[in-house]
Amino acid sequence: MAALLGDGDPAVGGSDPAVGGSDPVGAGGVAAARGGSGTSVEVVVTGLGVVSPLGCGVGEFWDGLTGGAVGTGPVDRFDTAPYGSRNGGSVRGFDPCRHLPDPTLSRLPLAVQYAVAAGAAALDDAGLTGGGEVGVCLGTVMGTRPHLERLLRAGADAYADLAWAGSAALADVPAAVLGLTGPTVVVSSGCSAGNDAIGYAADLVAGGQVDCVVAGGAEELSEAVFALFTGLRALTPDVVRPFDARRRGILPAEGAAALVLESAGRAAARGARVYCRVAGYAAASDAHHVTAPHPAGRAVAHCLRAALHGAGLPAGAVGYVSAHGTGTPASDGIEAAALAGVFAGSPGPAVSSVKGALGHAQGAAGALEAVVCALALDTGALPGMPTLTEVDPACAVVDLVRGPARAQPVAAAASVAFGFGGSASALVFGSPR
Amino acid sequence: MSRVVASTAVLAGLGAVSAAGCGPAALAAAVARDHSRGSVPVPPEYAWAGGRDAVTAPAVELPAVPPDGPPVAPRLARYLTREGMLFLHAATAALAAAGLDVGADPHGLGVVCATAGAGAREYLATYRSGRTGTDTGANPVRGPQSSFNSPASHLSIHLDIQGPCLTLATDGAGGLVALRHAQTLLHAGRVAAVLAGGVDTFTPRTWAGGRCHGEAAAAVVLRAGGGDGGGDGGPAGGVRVGPVVSAAPRATGAAPVAAAARAALDAAGLARVDLAVTASIPAERFGACRADLAGVLDAEVVAVERATGLVPGAAGVLAVVLAAHLLGGPAGAPATGPLGRPALRHVLCLAVADTGAAHAVVVSQGGAPR
């Protein structure tokens, strides 16, 4: 039997080769974790769009996050009585007439509407409203399936309206509506899907396949997810408390976020505002259990090390980590220990999870958190955790941001995500050069 | 039209399970039977199912245990979804054929799986369990399989694959989109090899619109290796897969099918191919598709979907599996069975998404010129 590679993977093992900071691969954009050959174009973020439980629009979102707002609350879209919580993260302030280019799109699944709205806002922010050869990469967990619930609750013939059955629409519809003719793809790798969609989009740009991609994630509040997490006894009855000693579980949420990724050369040529660079990305699998994370957090540690290696950054260069931080008893401690291991020997970054404010928007979560990293780099403010009151000693191994926010300019930020099935991924963002 | 920059990949292993049977030879035999029965051009009435109540779609007769790979634990066999089991069969066959030792470098292998409907039944069961107060669907075993990524995730857990494990929620051309994604991973240097494939089984869409959907899974193992003749790491023989090229209906004045086929030929540096294989062309589009192809190709066109039904997630990879088998597979010995012919060297594989976007790739024996 032949081994896959003759050499070892530089990103695994107890030592972190990226700490030396001498990796020349990092000079080129989204460098591959294994020193790949196809990465020569620097990728930058030039536009942001958000649809969230804290409001629609980047300003509202960021003001809420750094002001200590909590966007979760009672869900009124369906009867939550059978479930372990009545609360969730419903999108606030979404108006099809205002947020969609064509209000008739409001007949489509909500996740598709959110994707269109976030994508349009991001392109507008980037100053790219004319369509053209732009790709669309969206992450999701449940795709358009929650639309089926809406049809069933309304007594409609779910098999006559099959809009719920085609989740490729999450990318295809925004592309059609916004006149984008580049490649489209919907990534559904579990709750790391938002990260993976952005990472894949960055690879497309870095590899020269397309100059610009709208990347992110979209999710619609799902009653089935309430049922699923009730069965797993993983819903919190009130609010999500990432890294808190009294954390009880997640609150399902919805929303969308989109980032315009383009080659640095193209962005410079048109004088675009650059929020940050996409410096590194990596994905890995726990290969351990369908719902339980590996006890050593091996996939999240591996992919974060690999993303740093690809970015050519020492661990100490990262000033902020947007953690997955779901608020479940099982995973927050594992994640904190994994982060502490990756950043051992360095001052250690500030760490926070925005899921206390937003709930868990699953496939959109990674995309929302990528926006958080872009804004943290851009503004010098780090969102805190307003629901964190008593730090779990097992989580105190990292520098948790308490209160609404911390003023702390950073030059590099990372976002990690992982989910059911064992997939994990990490993105590393850097300040514009 | 997508820009072509991804380099050619070496096909190291392939596997398929479909209504045609298990393995590429069974697929070739079934396609040949149907193909020989029908005339070319294929008549549009090849859609067997006429409405929602039709139950004649092609189904897989699956062996209880995958013939390749490690044994499936009884508990896994008990709770794994049908999509998961189908994908496990195809993937373990492809990995066994490739002779990869996953344990030697568990992060070196990635998985990309396309599916349109994996987990849909579990999703509905979970929703209904909540409504009715039962835990049949929402139990901790079935509930987590209600999202798209269950087949690929279970494969990674079963085989201890610790590289990227990605699932794409796709429509009719999913398999080739997965292949494109796999090539991007290889091109970016993220992994040394990728298992790319797709799976789907019956969903309510199966009987919608008079189309005949089937159930199937297909997988190929790709390794990086461009150029011809194995000059940069690949074997001199064997089968190579060119860059997957995509054409959106809005991007070009030409028909997407013709544009994608032409671009795939250009990417391979070819003026012609010896055979074309389609995999996801619904009956109502097949005539137009053939007409579009006629302007680009002077080659026989065979339709995998005639033997398997339309299988959105697996479609494009089924076509690649058939093409690779006819070209001799990883060993490089041209097939002499059904559809096989000694002079076969280049095969175009084509799939069309529900949006009308077309995806095409040239599979070649011994190495594509580029």
Side-chain angles (χ1 to χ4, degrees), chain A residues 1-5 9 12 30-39 79 82-83 133 141-143 145-146 148-149 152-153 157 159 162 164-168 172 175-176 180-181 183-190 196 200 203-204 207-211 222-224 227-228 231-232 281-291 298 302 420-421 423, chain B residues 1-6 52 75 79 96 98-102 104-109 116-120 123-124 126-131 138-140 143-149 153-154 156-157 160-171 177 180-181 183-193 204-205 208 223 246 248 250-251 355:
Chain A
M1 299 274 273
L4 296 178
L5 282 179
D9 183 342
V12 293
V30 192
R34 302 174 74 91
S37 59
T39 54
D79 178 14
Y83 308 121
E133 192 186 352
V141 170
M142 292 305 184
R145 287 175 183 167
L148 169 65
E149 300 173 0
L152 292 174
R153 282 194 292 268
D157 181 354
Y159 301 116
L162 289 172
W164 60 274
S167 289
D172 289 338
L180 312 178
T181 59
T184 60
V185 69
V186 175
V187 182
S188 187
S189 48
D196 290 322
Y200 180 54
D203 276 350
L204 289 178
Q209 295 190 50
V210 65
D211 286 331
S222 159
E223 190 170 348
L228 167 58
L232 294 170
Y281 160 71
S285 302
D286 268 342
H288 170 64
H289 191 271
V290 174
T291 57
R298 69 178 179 185
H302 174 85
F420 284 180
S423 288
Chain B
M1 179 68 60
S2 62
R3 209 174 298 156
V4 179
V5 292
R52 269 175 55 186
R75 187 167 181 272
Y79 74 69
L100 294 182
D101 180 1
V102 176
D105 180 11
H107 292 99
L109 176 66
Y123 186 94
L124 189 57
T126 301
Y127 168 73
R128 286 183 169 146
S129 74
R131 289 283 96 203
N139 72 55
Q145 299 190 70
S146 60
S147 58
F148 297 87
N149 67 328
S153 297
H154 276 101
S156 76
I157 294 167
D160 195 29
I161 299 170
Q162 296 176 40
C165 182
L166 303 171
T167 296
L168 309 181
T170 60
D171 59 7
V177 178
R180 187 182 72 197
H181 201 137
Q183 290 174 333
T184 300
L185 286 175
L186 287 172
H187 185 65
R190 299 198 176 283
V191 286
R205 266 194 162 187
R223 304 181 67 153
S246 306
R250 305 169 299 280
T355 59

